[in-house]
Amino acid sequence: MEMTHEFAQCAGREIHFTQWGHKNREVVVAWHGLARTGRDFDTLAAHLAQRYRVICPDTLGRGLSQWAVDKAQEYNYPFYGRCIVDLLASLKIDKVRWVGTSMGGLLGIYLASGPLKGRITHLLLNDIGPDVPAPAIQRILTYVGKPPAFDTLVAYEQWLRQTYASFGPLTDATWRHLTVTSHRRADDGRIVVHYDPQITQTLTSGVGRVDMWAAYDAIACPTLLVRGAASDVLAPETAEAMTKRGPKAALKLVQECGHAPMLDVPHQMKLVTGFLNA
């Protein structure tokens, strides 16, 4: 299925996104996690593009998107929300189905309860909830905020395999894909991560802070919650609470992974399509 790379001015910043299934009428937006890119969804997007127009943005400060100009004011959910509202307006899209992994799921909660309430018709939250345990946040900060540099892509791939082992038993081809799509070369020629290390302000700054439980409780659209069985980011008690309040999400457990399922293997993609097609 054909993929295109596209760019749009959103909230005054250039946002990169890939697009699949361009001629299809129904739209899926797939939004990645904190330190990842929209290219993580390539396999899922190609699968969904049999029926849907699929849009996979790089969040501000990641991948091929512009970095924030005022980092303290822009690396937060309200500003990301402005970006997606502008993106949908530029593409003349009204209704969307939302697939959000980790941070992309929290962004989905924020949007489905506010700026895009009534426009997000299906909300899939991949291993994320309104309450993230403090130890999990500290673990994420240890590798996102101070990433190392590497002499070779092979060394970078080994770091990815260790750092993101909780993604589950990925194939060698998938690890190589993640390596190729999520790096850049610094001025000294060394390999570094694709993102601005200041993106951690989403976790550490009070600017733009959103009460995610209040937002979750305001969601009215059908919601599916996918949880990695060994996840430390989505606690079992949080997942259980999400099935009983707000949109009363349906809960699906994915074995052999933690935070977060890649949604790129047949049984995981079946969960996604079964929900989106309903």
Side-chain angles (χ1 to χ4, degrees):
M1 190 65 65
E2 180 185 3
M3 174 191 75
T4 59
H5 291 272
E6 304 186 32
F7 299 87
Q9 284 291 313
C10 304
R13 306 289 177 257
E14 184 179 72
I15 297 299
H16 165 260
F17 60 100
T18 57
Q19 190 167 190
W20 310 69
H22 304 66
K23 296 181 180 180
N24 295 327
R25 182 176 59 86
E26 297 174 299
V27 178
V28 172
V29 173
W31 208 286
H32 62 80
L34 176 67
R36 300 301 310 149
T37 81
R39 298 299 304 277
D40 285 6
F41 291 111
D42 280 4
T43 300
L44 176 63
H47 176 72
L48 293 177
Q50 299 172 65
R51 169 171 172 172
Y52 298 103
R53 179 183 180 186
V54 186
I55 296 167
C56 307
D58 291 342
T59 310
L60 184 76
R62 288 81 161 173
L64 299 181
S65 288
Q66 185 177 354
W67 288 15
V69 175
D70 185 345
K71 300 180 182 186
Q73 299 296 322
E74 296 176 22
Y75 287 144
N76 57 65
Y77 295 111
F79 196 86
Y80 299 157
R82 287 175 55 192
C83 290
I84 186 61
V85 169
D86 284 0
L87 177 59
L88 295 181
S90 71
L91 297 174
K92 297 180 172 59
I93 293 172
D94 182 22
K95 305 286 188 179
V96 301
R97 291 161 166 83
W98 188 276
V99 176
T101 292
S102 195
M103 182 199 73
L106 290 176
L107 180 58
I109 291 173
Y110 167 72
L111 292 168
S113 66
L116 293 182
K117 189 167 186 175
R119 296 177 62 186
I120 293 179
T121 64
H122 300 64
L123 177 63
L124 189 153
L125 304 175
N126 184 21
D127 206 62
I128 195 67
D131 183 20
V132 179
I137 292 176
Q138 291 304 313
R139 177 182 64 79
I140 292 168
L141 288 173
T142 59
Y143 67 84
V144 174
K146 297 180 180 180
F150 307 89
D151 293 324
T152 66
L153 279 167
V154 170
Y156 176 57
E157 180 178 323
Q158 289 302 314
W159 180 80
L160 285 176
R161 286 174 179 258
Q162 295 170 8
T163 303
Y164 294 100
S166 59
F167 281 4
L170 307 185
T171 66
D172 289 343
T174 298
W175 285 117
R176 183 57 49 88
H177 175 76
L178 297 182
T179 301
V180 170
T181 59
S182 62
H183 79 280
R184 59 188 174 88
R185 285 194 182 272
D187 290 345
D188 63 2
R190 302 191 77 198
I191 302 295
V192 295
V193 293
H194 61 91
Y195 59 81
D196 178 357
Q198 295 300 311
I199 61 172
T200 55
Q201 291 188 64
T202 304
L203 298 175
T204 60
S205 172
V207 176
R209 184 59 56 86
V210 177
D211 182 339
M212 287 299 180
W213 272 118
Y216 182 77
D217 288 339
I219 294 171
C221 64
T223 301
L224 174 65
L225 179 60
V226 176
R227 180 177 183 270
S231 176
D232 66 336
V233 171
L234 178 59
E237 55 270 23
T238 300
E240 182 65 20
M242 293 171 71
T243 68
K244 297 177 180 178
R245 57 188 287 184
K248 297 182 179 178
L251 174 62
K252 299 293 184 181
L253 195 66
V254 177
Q255 301 295 334
E256 296 186 338
C257 64
H259 183 75
M262 279 288 292
L263 306 179
D264 68 339
V265 292
H267 68 281
Q268 294 178 23
M269 291 192 291
K270 185 177 180 180
L271 287 177
V272 177
T273 55
F275 172 68
L276 297 181
N277 294 348

